[in-house]
Amino acid sequence: MAETKKKGKKKEKEPDIVFFHPDLFEVPEDGSAPFLKGYRCKKCNQIDFPKISPCPNCWGEEFEMVALSREGTVYSATDIYIGQAGMETPYVFGYVDLPEDLRIFAQFEADVETINCGDKVEVVEGIIRMNNDGLPLKSYKFKKINE
Amino acid sequence: MKFQRDVYIAGVGETDFKRQKTDFDALGRQAAFQAIKSSNIDKPDIIQSAYVGNATNGLVTGQTVFTSLGMCGHMPIINVESACSAGGMSVYCAIKDVATGLTDISIGVGTENHSMHRASGSAFSPAMTDIETMHGAVMTGKYALRARRYMYETGATIEDLALITVKNRKHAANNPHAWFKGDISVEEVVNSRMVAYPLTLQQCCGISDGAGAVVVCTKEMIKKLGIEKPVKVNGSVVRSGPYHNRPRDITADDITEATAEQLYEESGIGPEDVDILEVHDAFTIAELLYYECLGLCKKGDGLKFLRDGQATYGGQCVVSPRGGMLSYGHPIGASGAAMIASQVKQLRGECNGYQVDPIPKIAMTHVTGGGLSGTEHAACTMHMLSAAW
Ligand SMILES: [Zn+2]
């Protein structure tokens, strides 16, 4: 970052913090359903999530954003009772496989003992943790379909 | 790696593994000095290069270990970091120096003190710049995902997983270096505190402190030092973990499979010939999966291999004869070197009270390292050793 901030100066606390990385997830302002952002390499057509540049397959450096499928299948899930320092437990995370041949690591919007291998889930926006100021940090999560 | 000449182990050292107030440098020095003295070395200027594995204790850890041994100045000391694989990797580097003719004698050390350098007892997690970490990933949870999938596919139960802890603690019962040891029942393992379903506390390695060290050298040096029981290094392999964000089988382990295949190829020794094995059993599920990944049994037969007693005394291969990480705890930079040290002592018949009988001829070690989004493990280090006297 180019600009330097004066230490000690208290910044006004924002009520709403969105996940740190805008390349990952889109929550459309018009209220339509949120989606994960895949990146198609313009040279070899490989789709990656998250975006990695250059393309590890062909070293291409130009990409086109594609909205990934909102629904996927749980490959595996676990309930976390002792988690990262500062994170409230229990929380639930796992892998979701999408039709684009991608595997997404994500938290689930779910109670413990409710997510199983093979479950159908959809991507939603949710709170994944508190940030350093104690404010909720929002990102993508997955939620069971037909709950 | 392709050896250009034969490499032997002259001596090894290991500290006790437990929570310690002795810092990493003193632990490393203790193991290194033991390895040096058991190699019949009586002067500080004999060893020609040193590698020191450590993950969390700071900068120039190797020089800190060797200063008071009077071993700084004449030789290069290289500090090695690759999370849990650091100690194994430092031994690999020492072997590489000798195998390529760069040195005639070198030392690999792994040392770590977590207790004095960690304020909280929370679970390990990869770097905070990692996208999975931001979403709450912890290593216990990532292994739990493998366990959940394995249970889903094979019908294995938590009680089945608990058998691994029961076996390894039994192996460690009389091992003075081990921390958690002796009788524990399946019920006690299953009913201990839940960490990440289905992994309970007694299925996870403890956070401990310790060190291991290995002196490697040429055949000529073995004679010169008068080593009676030289151990031959038949193979030494390090690989990095492939990146892929695609669906894959996490009940397998791509990096372990590739490393093992290369080790078997280069050493000319197959899994059926291995008498004893120290494997990365940081969690019960890991050991179970690695029976299959290492080819000790067929894919899907891991549970049968365990239940049939093939992984303990009298079985096909005694897995974790020192008690494994489930008994030692896992000071991440130290474990890889300590497992080699303990295997050498088994081959030499020096493990009074926990010696595998009959005395094994061929030993193998396996240690992975680090979680990173898109890889199962960032690193894997494996060694094949045999009695050469
Ligand atoms: Zn490409």
Side-chain angles (χ1 to χ4, degrees), chain A residues 27-95:
Chain A
V27 183
E29 283 180 12
D30 65 5
S32 56
F35 57 89
L36 291 165
K37 293 155 94 170
Y39 290 86
R40 186 199 307 276
C41 170
K42 285 188 175 172
K43 206 167 146 193
C44 76
N45 277 329
Q46 175 168 300
I47 298 177
D48 275 304
F49 176 90
K51 184 180 182 179
I52 35 178
S53 182
C55 167
N57 187 48
C58 73
W59 287 1
E61 294 181 75
E62 283 184 50
F63 302 88
E64 166 192 28
M65 195 275 282
V66 287
L68 297 178
S69 301
R70 298 195 57 256
E71 298 182 3
T73 307
V74 175
Y75 175 72
S76 192
T78 178
D79 305 326
I80 303 296
Y81 293 91
I82 300 179
Q84 276 181 28
M87 282 186 71
E88 202 179 315
T89 53
Y91 56 94
V92 187
F93 68 53
Y95 293 118

Side-chain angles (χ1 to χ4, degrees), chain A residues 19-20 24 46-49 52 75-82 84-85 91 93 95 101-103 105 107 115-117 128-129 137 139-140, chain B residues 122-123 125 128 131-138 140-142 144-145 148-149 152 193-197 243 245-251 376:
Chain A
F19 186 45
F20 72 111
L24 295 170
Q46 175 168 300
I47 298 177
D48 275 304
F49 176 90
I52 35 178
Y75 175 72
S76 192
T78 178
D79 305 326
I80 303 296
Y81 293 91
I82 300 179
Q84 276 181 28
Y91 56 94
F93 68 53
Y95 293 118
D101 192 34
L102 286 169
R103 175 165 295 171
F105 178 91
Q107 272 185 47
I115 301 289
N116 293 297
C117 300
I128 54 163
R129 63 194 301 145
L137 196 62
S139 182
Y140 58 86
Chain B
S122 62
S125 55
M128 282 307 284
I131 169 178
E132 293 187 356
T133 308
M134 278 307 292
H135 283 89
V138 282
T140 46
K142 293 194 72 171
L145 292 176
R148 273 305 290 289
R149 189 70 199 184
Y152 176 74
R193 183 178 175 187
M194 185 61 74
V195 175
Y197 184 84
Y243 173 85
N245 44 20
R246 318 278 157 205
R248 60 185 181 274
D249 178 10
I250 61 172
T251 69
E376 223 49 66

